[in-house]
Each structure stands twice: as C-alpha cells, then as structure tokens.
Amino acid sequence: MNPRLTALLALAAVSLAGCGIRSTEVPTNFGPAPSRVHCSLSEPDASSQASRGLPVQVFLLCGSQLVAVDRTVRVPDGTADAARRVLVAQVLLDELQATPSAAEKEAGYTTDVRGAMGVTGPRRNDPDETLRLTTAPTSLTSYALAQIVCTFSDSAAAEGDGSVILGGPADTPPRRYECTDEVRARPGSNEPPSTEAGTT
C-alpha cells in the first residue's frame, strides 16, 4: 500500500476517535431525524382553568384517532337540568366547530365538525335526554359523528354511561350512539354503534 495513503487513513481514524465517532466500513442510513412527538399538548394550569369556567373535554382528531383535549366553557348557573343539558351540548358543539388553537394545530390536531350546527332538546315522544342536531347525524362524516358522540357522551350533556341519544331536524326517531374504544382508535372506519332509542 502507498505509504502516503496509509498515513492518511491512520490520521482519519485518529480524528474520528477523537470526536467520539466510531469508524465503520459499512455505510449506514437511518433516514431523517425523527420529528417532534405529535398529539401532545402542555398541561393547562387547573386553577386558572377553573377561574375561566367549567372544565370540559372535547375530542379532536390527531393522527387519525380521537384525542381528548381540555377546554373551558361557560354555562349559566341555576339552569334547570333539561335546559342545562342542551346548553352544555351547544357550547361543546361550538368548541368542536371552532378552528383548533395555534398550539393544537402545531401538535397535529384537526376537527371534522364544520358549519354552524346547532342543537335543541327533545321533541314530543323523544326520550328526555335526546339532543337533536340541526344536521342529521346520518349526514355527518364518520369522523365528525365520532367527535360529537364521544364529546357529548363524556359530558354533562348526556347521562354519563358512554352513550348519547341524538336525532336530526326531521321527525325520524332518535338513536342512542355509543363511544367505544374502536371508535376512538379508528373513527374513520368505525362509526359509533347505535340502536333505536324508543319513545316515551
């Protein structure tokens, strides 16, 4: 071997060792550096949250899954239970329809609940806990329906049993929708299971 080449190789090996980098004869390629973790938000301060209103959770989309995000809403005190249920449902719906905050967008959060949807209480012969949307649940995307069902069923808008009774603007009977683990994990391919809610 050429003495000059030998000396250069030795010098290169010493330089690599001095930098703490192990020399290797096999080229390696581990791809680009991993990006920062998505779907992760800094924890809000609970005391400041409480001072701004009622702490709630809404389900947004992130990485094709449903992820609970903490929010605060204002609901007038002293409202009767039936009216309070509708008020809570409307403010939750407003939160779902709102554009995610800058921090939420940066973390990868989106929402599929769009438009200016409203919610009202039960009609005659509906079960007492029925919530009727101004858009028929069957007209919503599976993502939007999953967001609404999981957000409502986990709130004071429902009975707290993991389900919520939803109807649309037409006179079709409402249905009881459930928020399941499968729906939260894959809302695009798993619509919330539902059964006919019956009448009163």
Side-chain angles (χ1 to χ4, degrees), residues 116-138:
M117 210 183 315
V119 60
T120 60
R123 293 181 182 174
R124 185 179 179 183
N125 296 329
D126 284 348
D128 291 341
E129 62 270 30
T130 300
L131 297 169
R132 283 193 172 267
L133 303 174
T134 54
T135 298
T138 53

Side-chain angles (χ1 to χ4, degrees), residues 64-66 142-143 146 150 178-193:
S64 298
Q65 297 180 354
L66 291 185
S142 60
Y143 288 109
C150 289
E178 294 182 49
C179 177
T180 63
D181 291 340
E182 291 76 16
V183 169
R184 286 190 291 268
R186 292 180 297 279
S189 55
N190 291 284
E191 285 200 354

Side-chain angles (χ1 to χ4, degrees), residues 16-182:
L16 286 172
C19 293
I21 301 174
R22 233 173 120 191
S23 61
T24 176
E25 295 177 3
V26 181
T28 58
N29 180 14
F30 293 104
S35 60
R36 64 182 188 74
V37 178
H38 279 246
C39 306
S40 177
L41 291 168
S42 58
E43 291 293 327
D45 180 66
S47 59
S48 64
Q49 263 205 335
S51 67
R52 293 197 301 269
L54 177 71
V56 296
Q57 286 190 323
V58 297
F59 282 85
L60 298 182
L61 298 167
C62 194
S64 298
Q65 297 180 354
L66 291 185
V67 182
V69 176
D70 293 322
R71 297 278 178 84
T72 54
V73 297
R74 291 201 174 277
V75 178
D77 292 330
T79 309
D81 285 348
R84 183 178 177 82
R85 180 182 291 118
V86 175
L87 282 173
V88 170
Q90 185 62 64
V91 293
L92 290 174
L93 194 57
D94 292 342
E95 290 291 327
L96 289 173
Q97 294 175 119
T99 302
S101 68
E104 289 167 350
K105 280 184 179 178
E106 191 177 349
Y109 289 87
T110 62
T111 182
D112 214 46
V113 183
R114 298 185 176 90
M117 210 183 315
V119 60
T120 60
R123 293 181 182 174
R124 185 179 179 183
N125 296 329
D126 284 348
D128 291 341
E129 62 270 30
T130 300
L131 297 169
R132 283 193 172 267
L133 303 174
T134 54
T135 298
T138 53
S139 299
L140 299 170
T141 66
S142 60
Y143 288 109
L145 182 58
Q147 283 185 259
I148 293 170
V149 167
C150 289
T151 297
F152 282 4
S153 66
D154 194 39
S155 74
E159 296 298 301
D161 61 355
S163 70
V164 62
I165 298 178
L166 295 178
D171 288 328
T172 52
R175 299 183 68 82
R176 182 180 292 276
Y177 293 86
E178 294 182 49
C179 177
T180 63
D181 291 340
E182 291 76 16

